[in-house]
Amino acid sequence: MHEASSALEAFDIAAILVVAAAVLGYINHHYIRLPHTIGLTVMGALTSIGAMVVDALIPGITLDDWVAQLLQRMDFTETLLQGMLSFLLFAGALHVNLEQLRKDWLPVLLLSTFGVIISTIVVGALMWGVGILLALPIAPIWYFVFGALISPTDPVSVLGVLREENVPQSLQAAVAGESLFNDGVGIVVFTILLGAALTGADFSLSEGVRLFALEAGGGIAIGFVIGYIGFKALKSMDEYTLEVLITLAIVMGGYALASSLHMSGPLAMAVAGLLIGNYGFERAMSDVTRDYVHKFWELVDEVLNSILFLLIGLEMIALVPGHGHIMIGLAAIVVTLIARAISVGAMVKTVPGVSLDAPGAVRVLWWGGLRGGISIALVLSLPPGETRHLLLAATFAAVLFSVLIQRATLGKMIERLQRQHMPSVEPEPERIGMGSDY
């Protein structure tokens, strides 16, 4: 088994994942009937647990080792952060209405920046207290590293729910905009805190602010430049095959450029996607090209979504829980919900001039603060050791609760709020926050 896994090439690994996602998706669609991404996460987790059970019952079988080595060879962190994330963020940003986002720019800006920072501090402080109560061998700085990796909401999960539910336009744009931008912000904060934790140096607020401004500001600037160049190129022709290729070049080239310059690739992709999804679709594409580009990125989004949530479930094999892992995992679920409530309330309820018109908006923002693959990827990038194992348990617990409970019930919460408060609006499955017929 070990030799077989070591012989696998990149194409073999990709083939295994795509076939597994297709087969398990087929089984879920016909027999289990859970929502697609939830079903794949559950089945991936059950596959991991099943492999460990088989290994325990049948001597000589090492399925869990084979799956673990397969995932290690693939490197989930590298695959997501340097591969899948660029496509997922760009595809998600294509569906966000920039005009509506401009109307709610202040809450989106505050939630995606100060909201992440507040959540990081609250999670870090509360988990530090939990660590003291449980006598866990974790240095205090690592709790704040955990706060940074678990605070950003996952755009893949959030945008998926918004496409399915009948949500007022202003709330759609606010939730989608926050999820796109706080992702990049969270990665920057995580990188800064992780550097301090690894070097053992005291955290410098001024240095942190400088690095944050450089990476975040640079990422936004690169996204704007790449998006504008792409827009001009798209506007100069009417050839849908080449225009689809240009959008693909924007994503791959733009993300690679931002990473090489140590700027925020996620923020660059969010900005570039907003430009192409609004100005590009409306002013630079014919109806035929618009249809092809839209369907191409919808397909990319669905395929990568399927693989990502399957991987989240399979990565459970990296965790062998003990008593301390279970306790910190349960605590992480409660702490992340508390921190999300505080960060949303602090930004929307207490800052003058910041409000969202839709009734129930704060509750949707709170419960809709879904965590996903980005948090898993970040925690898997931590150096080996007991600290990593404990934070891995905390992250998996918070993410699985988010995917299996919050995402599964968010739609029902929105429907209940609509019946109680929200005005009826037409469903807009293709474009978040915009009544578009493209």
Side-chain angles (χ1 to χ4, degrees):
M1 286 291 185
H2 296 276
E3 292 179 2
S5 64
S6 63
L8 289 174
E9 300 295 336
F11 180 82
D12 300 318
I13 295 172
I16 290 171
L17 293 175
V18 170
V19 170
V23 171
L24 295 179
Y26 176 88
I27 295 171
N28 177 63
H29 178 78
H30 284 285
Y31 303 107
I32 303 176
R33 300 185 185 280
L34 288 170
H36 181 61
T37 53
I38 296 175
L40 283 174
T41 305
V42 170
M43 296 184 76
L46 291 177
T47 300
S48 294
I49 295 170
M52 289 186 280
V53 170
V54 169
D55 285 0
L57 295 178
I58 306 177
I61 299 294
T62 56
L63 283 177
D64 60 342
D65 289 342
W66 185 83
V67 175
Q69 290 214 3
L70 174 69
L71 295 173
Q72 183 179 15
R73 184 171 177 80
M74 183 200 67
D75 192 342
F76 183 90
T77 302
E78 186 72 15
T79 300
L80 177 59
L81 296 183
Q82 298 301 327
M84 297 171 68
L85 186 58
S86 58
F87 296 96
L88 290 168
L89 286 174
F90 183 84
L94 289 177
H95 300 282
V96 177
N97 179 14
L98 191 56
E99 291 302 318
Q100 187 64 56
L101 193 60
R102 283 174 177 167
K103 296 178 182 178
D104 296 310
W105 70 272
L106 186 55
V108 170
L109 175 64
L110 293 178
L111 284 168
S112 60
T113 53
F114 292 104
V116 171
I117 294 170
I118 290 172
S119 177
T120 299
I121 295 171
V122 172
V123 170
L126 292 179
M127 290 302 290
W128 188 1
V130 170
I132 293 173
L133 290 175
L134 298 178
L136 299 176
I138 301 178
I141 184 64
W142 289 104
Y143 292 113
F144 294 93
V145 171
F146 171 72
L149 68 88
I150 205 67
S151 291
T153 57
D154 183 62
V156 177
S157 299
V158 174
L159 295 172
V161 173
L162 293 182
R163 290 195 195 102
E164 298 166 3
E165 298 302 328
N166 188 10
V167 180
Q169 295 179 6
S170 61
L171 183 55
Q172 287 185 17
V175 175
E178 184 215 356
S179 69
L180 285 171
F181 287 103
N182 73 7
D183 178 52
V185 171
I187 292 174
V188 172
V189 174
F190 169 82
T191 302
I192 294 170
L193 289 174
L194 179 62
L198 292 175
T199 60
D202 292 334
F203 175 73
S204 169
L205 181 60
S206 60
E207 180 65 10
V209 171
R210 187 190 71 82
L211 290 174
F212 178 84
L214 181 64
E215 292 193 30
I220 291 172
I222 289 173
F224 181 82
V225 171
I226 294 295
Y228 180 76
I229 292 172
F231 166 75
K232 297 297 287 186
L234 293 168
K235 193 175 181 179
S236 68
M237 67 185 72
D238 185 13
E239 178 58 55
Y240 70 85
T241 54
L242 183 54
E243 290 180 79
V244 170
L245 182 60
I246 287 172
T247 62
L248 195 59
I250 291 171
V251 174
M252 300 182 73
Y255 201 91
L257 176 63
S259 298
S260 65
L261 296 176
H262 303 290
M263 307 298 181
S264 175
L267 288 175
M269 288 304 97
V271 172
L274 285 172
L275 288 176
I276 299 301
N278 287 268
Y279 298 114
F281 276 177
E282 296 172 7
R283 304 178 187 179
M285 298 181 191
S286 65
D287 291 341
V288 173
T289 298
R290 189 181 303 120
D291 184 56
Y292 271 94
V293 171
H294 170 69
K295 288 179 178 177
F296 172 79
W297 283 104
E298 184 177 47
L299 178 62
V300 169
D301 188 49
E302 288 298 322
V303 171
L304 293 182
N305 245 316
S306 300
I307 295 172
L308 173 60
F309 282 94
L310 172 62
L311 285 171
I312 290 175
L314 287 175
E315 283 289 351
M316 280 193 66
I317 207 163
L319 180 65
V320 181
H323 179 265
H325 300 88
I326 294 172
M327 295 303 295
I328 196 173
L330 294 174
I333 295 172
V334 177
V335 166
T336 51
L337 289 174
I338 293 173
R340 177 67 179 172
I342 292 173
S343 63
V344 170
M347 294 298 98
V348 177
K349 290 289 190 180
T350 63
V351 177
V354 177
S355 64
L356 292 169
D357 295 332
V362 173
R363 268 188 285 176
V364 173
L365 281 169
W366 168 62
W367 195 246
L370 307 178
R371 275 74 181 186
I374 294 162
S375 295
I376 299 291
L378 293 178
V379 76
L380 288 171
S381 71
L382 299 180
E386 182 60 19
T387 293
R388 181 180 186 269
H389 287 306
L390 289 166
L391 296 185
L392 188 61
T395 305
F396 266 113
V399 169
L400 289 177
F401 180 85
S402 177
V403 173
L404 302 182
I405 305 300
Q406 288 178 258
R407 193 185 194 283
T409 58
L410 180 59
K412 296 184 183 300
M413 170 188 278
I414 292 172
E415 291 173 3
R416 186 169 62 251
L417 289 171
Q418 286 172 338
R419 289 195 298 268
Q420 295 173 354
H421 303 292
M422 294 181 181
S424 178
V425 296
E426 290 298 316
E428 295 166 317
E430 294 187 346
R431 192 161 179 79
I432 293 177
M434 180 175 183
S436 175
D437 58 359
Y438 71 90

